[in-house]
Amino acid sequence: FFTHHTSLALSTLPSISLHDLTPLLKALLATLPDALSGTLTLTSPHTAVAITLTEAEPRLADDIRGFLRRLAPRELPYLHNDIHLRDPAGMEDPATEPMNAAAKLGAMVVGASLVVPVV
């Protein structure tokens, strides 16, 4: 049984950002000789970030962005985005709190973790 933990940091855009993690994950697995087979678990600690498995095809990426925009349009009046009405105890700094309800709703539907077989 082999366990390893690594954190990855990615820069994102204010809108929907899609990242192909395949090269990063292949490079990571190449540095771990004990990780020849098993599973790779990906999780995000951020509630506005989602993780999924699909092909890295540009037109599909456009479809995904369009789907998420239709699912949770950023311009709708979400209650979560009324920062001045929220309990400040749940925020690190209300002055810098993002209006990200649409991102959180999209992430909730897609999911924040993924288990991938390593073979």
Side-chain angles (χ1 to χ4, degrees), residues 6 23-24 37 57 61-62 64 71 78-79 83 97 105-106 111 115:
T6 299
L24 288 168
S37 66
E57 194 276 313
D62 290 341
I64 293 168
L71 181 69
Y78 297 105
L79 299 176
I83 309 267
E97 182 74 10
L105 292 170
V115 177

Side-chain angles (χ1 to χ4, degrees), residues 1-8 21 24-26 28-29 32 35 37-45 50-53 111-119:
F1 184 73
F2 173 75
T3 301
H4 178 80
H5 178 267
T6 299
S7 293
L8 302 173
L21 301 179
L24 288 168
L25 297 176
K26 280 185 176 182
L28 171 64
L29 289 172
L32 303 170
S37 66
T39 58
L40 175 67
T41 303
L42 306 170
T43 61
S44 172
I51 300 172
T52 192
L53 179 66
S113 66
L114 182 67
V115 177
V116 181
V118 175
V119 291

Side-chain angles (χ1 to χ4, degrees), residues 8-90:
L8 302 173
L10 299 172
S11 296
T12 60
L13 302 171
S15 62
I16 299 168
S17 293
L18 301 178
H19 299 271
D20 181 2
L21 301 179
T22 305
L24 288 168
L25 297 176
K26 280 185 176 182
L28 171 64
L29 289 172
T31 68
L32 303 170
D34 291 333
L36 298 175
S37 66
T39 58
L40 175 67
T41 303
L42 306 170
T43 61
S44 172
H46 302 288
T47 58
V49 174
I51 300 172
T52 192
L53 179 66
T54 191
E55 60 187 282
E57 194 276 313
R59 293 176 58 83
L60 178 59
D62 290 341
D63 288 336
I64 293 168
R65 286 185 199 92
F67 170 77
L68 291 172
R69 284 187 188 110
R70 288 187 302 279
L71 181 69
R74 291 179 66 191
E75 63 275 1
L76 289 182
Y78 297 105
L79 299 176
H80 176 75
N81 289 344
D82 290 332
I83 309 267
H84 64 286
L85 297 177
R86 288 176 39 201
D87 181 0

